[in-house]
Every structure is written in structure tokens, then in C-alpha cells.
């Protein structure tokens, strides 16, 4: 059995950031930011083309660990993904601080002020941070 890529989702009510590992599951890279309304169609198209064995969904939590406002959208999404892709592992991974880390990463990399306002870029970087964190946690 081959092990496929790991795909991470930073779910947002408007836009969703997506990151994916390389086939060897060593490097996490930002892939895309998609309109959340078409997320599940986008995923179906991607899964037809690429071998993905694990889907990591960022689990939004408050600082005290209680679920955040978007949890009510994420929980049903996770259930739909598990139903639609029984051959893939669907896991939740804590995403606290990913937006803060994404902004810090952009600052440290010298990305200009206008680009840092690009919420789609922030979402893609946040998904990459979720994926990187998941991969480090599960080595």
C-alpha cells in the first residue's frame, strides 16, 4: 500500500486555505485558497488527480480550549469528508495561533504591507502551518 500526500484545510466561512505535503510527506507547501462555497467540489477534483491519504482539518479553538464560532461549520464538514472519502484518514489538528504565525512568517520573509493584507495568502500560509505542525507532531 502506498502512502499518499497529506492535505491540510484552514477552513474559513468565506475562503479556505489549502496546503499539501510532497509525496514523501516531508515538506508542507501552500497549495491554494478557494472560495468555501466550492471547497468540496475543489477537493473532489484534486483527489481525482492526486493521491491523498490523510486530510487534516484545522480545529479552531478559543484560548481556553473551547470550540470557536466556526466549529459549527467544521464539524459537519468533517463528517461529510469522512462519508465521501472512507479510504482517507480525516483528522482534526489544533489551529490556535496559526493566523498569528502566518502574519509573523509574512513579516519575517519581507513580504510587503499590501501582500500581508491579502487574506487569501494568509489563509494559504495558515493551512501550511497547520500541515507542518501536524507532520511534526506525528513523526
Amino acid at each position: 500500500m502506498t502512502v499518499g500526500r497529506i492535505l491540510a484545510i484552514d477552513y474559513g466561512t468565506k475562503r479556505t486555505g489549502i496546503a499539501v505535503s510532497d509525496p514523501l510527506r516531508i515538506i508542507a507547501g501552500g497549495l491554494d485558497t478557494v472560495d468555501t462555497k466550492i471547497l468540496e467540489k475543489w477537493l473532489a477534483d484534486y483527489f481525482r488527480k492526486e493521491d491523498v491519504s490523510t486530510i487534516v482539518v484545522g480545529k479552531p479553538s478559543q484560548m481556553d480550549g473551547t470550540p470557536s464560532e466556526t466549529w459549527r461549520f467544521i464539524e459537519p464538514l468533517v463528517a461529510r469528508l469522512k462519508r465521501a472519502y472512507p479510504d482517507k484518514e480525516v483528522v482534526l489538528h489544533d489551529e490556535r495561533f496559526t493566523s498569528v504565525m502566518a502574519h509573523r512568517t509574512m513579516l519575517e520573509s519581507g513580504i510587503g504591507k499590501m501582500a500581508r493584507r491579502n487574506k487569501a495568502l494568509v489563509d494559504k500560509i495558515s493551512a501550511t502551518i497547520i500541515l507542518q505542525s501536524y507532520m511534526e507532531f506525528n513523526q
Side-chain angles (χ1 to χ4, degrees), residues 33-133:
T33 303
V34 299
D35 185 329
T36 299
K37 290 191 286 284
I38 63 159
L39 172 64
E40 290 174 66
K41 182 197 178 310
W42 188 98
L43 289 171
D45 291 344
Y46 187 77
F47 295 154
R48 271 194 291 279
K49 294 181 280 201
E50 297 291 340
D51 182 23
V52 174
S53 57
T54 306
I55 304 167
V56 179
V57 180
K59 181 181 182 185
S61 303
Q62 308 287 354
M63 296 308 288
D64 65 2
T66 58
S68 77
E69 182 60 29
T70 52
W71 177 245
R72 64 191 174 104
F73 301 107
I74 291 171
E75 199 172 25
L77 170 67
V78 168
R80 287 192 306 274
L81 291 173
K82 285 180 177 180
R83 253 192 327 273
Y85 306 105
D87 60 321
K88 299 181 190 327
E89 181 183 20
V90 180
V91 296
L92 290 161
H93 190 74
D94 187 355
E95 70 167 37
R96 279 179 288 186
F97 310 115
T98 52
S99 295
V100 173
M101 289 170 67
H103 279 285
R104 186 176 301 147
T105 300
M106 291 167 81
L107 274 171
E108 290 172 358
S109 68
I111 292 175
K113 194 174 190 174
M114 289 309 291
R116 288 196 308 267
R117 288 190 187 138
N118 177 345
K119 291 188 180 3
L121 183 58
V122 173
D123 293 338
K124 188 167 33 172
I125 292 171
S126 293
T128 307
I129 292 168
I130 291 167
L131 178 57
Q132 188 71 49
S133 170

